[in-house]
Amino acid sequence: MTASETDDFTPTQIFATPLWVRRVVGFEQINADIRALLPQLRTESAERRSNEGGWHSQTNLHTDDRLAQIRKIIGTTSAGCATSIGFDFTRHNLVFQSLWININGHGHSNRAHVHPQSFLSGAYYVDMPKDGGNIELFDPIAARVMSPFPADDLSPYTGQLLEHTCREGDLLVFPGWLQHSVQRNESNRDRISISFNMTFESKPNTQR
Ligand SMILES: [Fe+2]
């Protein structure tokens, strides 16, 4: 006689936090094309957001056709991510809210932040020097810090911070509510990434 129907103790996942890490096919040429645009873009605009130093473009570059290639890749990838977690495309469209370029030079970083009102956010890496600064993703279940338990390794049930080593050509996607920061760039090369926010709109005549 057993206490349960099965000996499988794999838990049901609740309140899950998705993270997608995708490798963009053909990223070498895509990044070369983006780098070639930067001298011109840097003369046109700048903003200050979570960045400590560095350069942050305007946030409307999803409307700039000079970046159409990477915009399409990010849009298509985000749609695939959204589909995988049950996004209802019959009643809603997934649309860009914003897209911008970050250039962090030596000593520059990004403070911890979230992306308000963004369904999916993420980053694509154009230039990622060694020691250029990893992204840090923080456990969204803040109360977990009150009751840690001993485990040999960090796991999805014990970790408070996930440091992800970024590679050129990687495209990260995660919920906009997931707090994150970017470590200091300790190298002497620029760390160049493209960040984005995706939101959604109701399709006409589909509201209940
Ligand atoms: Fe961010």
Side-chain angles (χ1 to χ4, degrees):
M1 183 175 167
T2 58
S4 173
E5 296 172 353
T6 168
D7 291 331
D8 183 0
F9 286 88
T10 304
T12 300
Q13 296 277 351
I14 60 172
F15 311 126
T17 302
L19 170 68
W20 296 269
V21 182
R22 309 276 300 179
R23 191 78 162 153
V24 170
V25 175
F27 70 88
E28 296 92 343
Q29 185 59 52
I30 292 167
N31 289 357
D33 293 345
I34 293 169
R35 287 185 202 107
L37 284 172
L38 290 175
Q40 185 182 1
L41 285 169
R42 291 187 75 157
T43 66
E44 295 173 6
S45 70
E47 286 194 19
R48 180 80 186 270
R49 296 292 178 104
S50 69
N51 53 309
E52 296 284 0
W55 179 78
H56 185 301
S57 76
Q58 279 186 327
T59 57
N60 65 350
L61 294 186
H62 56 294
T63 64
D64 191 324
D65 284 342
R66 291 173 293 182
L67 292 166
Q69 188 178 26
I70 192 63
R71 175 182 65 205
K72 183 175 181 184
I73 291 167
I74 291 171
T76 302
T77 300
S78 297
C81 295
T83 300
S84 76
I85 55 172
F87 187 96
D88 181 2
F89 278 102
T90 64
R91 293 187 173 83
H92 302 89
N93 289 318
L94 186 66
V95 297
F96 277 96
Q97 184 185 64
S98 49
L99 184 146
W100 66 98
I101 299 174
N102 311 283
I103 302 179
N104 281 3
H106 178 78
H108 301 157
S109 61
N110 290 75
R111 296 183 304 275
H113 62 281
V114 297
H115 293 206
Q117 300 177 7
S118 172
F119 169 62
L120 290 176
S121 298
Y124 172 71
Y125 296 94
V126 178
D127 271 347
M128 191 59 227
K130 185 176 182 303
D131 301 322
N134 288 332
I135 188 169
E136 297 177 328
L137 304 160
F138 298 96
D139 180 7
I141 304 179
R144 188 146 43 197
V145 73
M146 299 300 292
S147 52
F149 70 92
D152 289 340
D153 294 304
L154 292 180
S155 76
Y157 307 102
T158 58
Q160 313 254 296
L161 183 152
L162 175 69
E163 176 181 341
H164 179 77
T165 301
C166 312
R167 301 178 302 173
E168 289 176 7
D170 278 355
L171 173 54
L172 262 58
V173 184
F174 48 83
W177 46 256
L178 183 60
Q179 191 177 39
H180 56 284
S181 61
V182 178
Q183 298 170 337
R184 265 172 56 101
N185 181 354
E186 302 291 355
S187 83
N188 290 314
R189 285 179 53 216
D190 285 343
R191 175 193 199 280
I192 303 175
S193 61
I194 296 179
S195 297
F196 57 92
N197 290 326
M198 308 296 297
T199 187
F200 56 88
E201 297 173 344
S202 295
K203 289 183 176 177
N205 305 318
T206 59
Q207 286 184 324
R208 287 173 174 166

